[in-house]
Amino acid sequence: MDKKNALRAGALAAGTTLMMLLMSSPASALTRDDGDDPGPGLSVIETLGLFVVAPIVLYLVIHGLVMIGDKKHKQKDTTSSNINTKAQAEAEAEAKAGSKA
């Protein structure tokens, strides 16, 4: 039964790929369509700025905003920051006892 499903999935994937290739052939045509009015091309610097620098800058801005929000969240968190383990509680008790003596 598994071979039959695998064969069916393979045939479906092959058929879909073939149809996509056949339907996309006009996209690589060298002749212009009626009403086609392409603008001027981008320079190398413009291309690098648009497709390399801009996404990196956007990532860094989003990352920075998330980090700022995370730091504010940690300061307001009262549920997990006031929980001490037994070792921490004993160490704090010894430190208080040592400072009083």
Side-chain angles (χ1 to χ4, degrees):
M1 193 65 175
D2 288 326
K3 283 185 179 182
K4 189 175 182 180
N5 285 339
L7 186 62
R8 185 180 297 152
L12 182 65
T16 304
T17 304
L18 182 63
M19 289 303 293
M20 294 283 279
L21 287 173
L22 290 174
M23 297 299 286
S24 66
S25 62
S28 61
L30 297 175
T31 57
R32 296 279 181 210
D33 292 333
D34 291 338
D36 189 15
D37 188 18
L42 296 175
S43 70
V44 174
I45 300 298
E46 291 172 333
T47 303
L48 288 175
L50 188 62
F51 294 106
V52 176
V53 176
I56 291 173
V57 168
L58 284 171
Y59 170 79
L60 291 175
V61 167
I62 293 169
H63 182 76
L65 291 172
V66 169
M67 291 298 292
I68 289 171
D70 188 45
K71 288 185 184 205
K72 287 182 180 178
H73 175 72
K74 284 183 180 177
Q75 291 173 354
K76 293 180 181 179
D77 188 14
T78 59
T79 57
S80 62
S81 60
N82 63 358
I83 298 173
N84 292 330
T85 62
K86 187 175 182 180
Q88 287 175 338
E90 289 174 359
E92 289 176 4
E94 287 178 13
K96 286 180 183 178
S99 65
K100 290 182 182 178

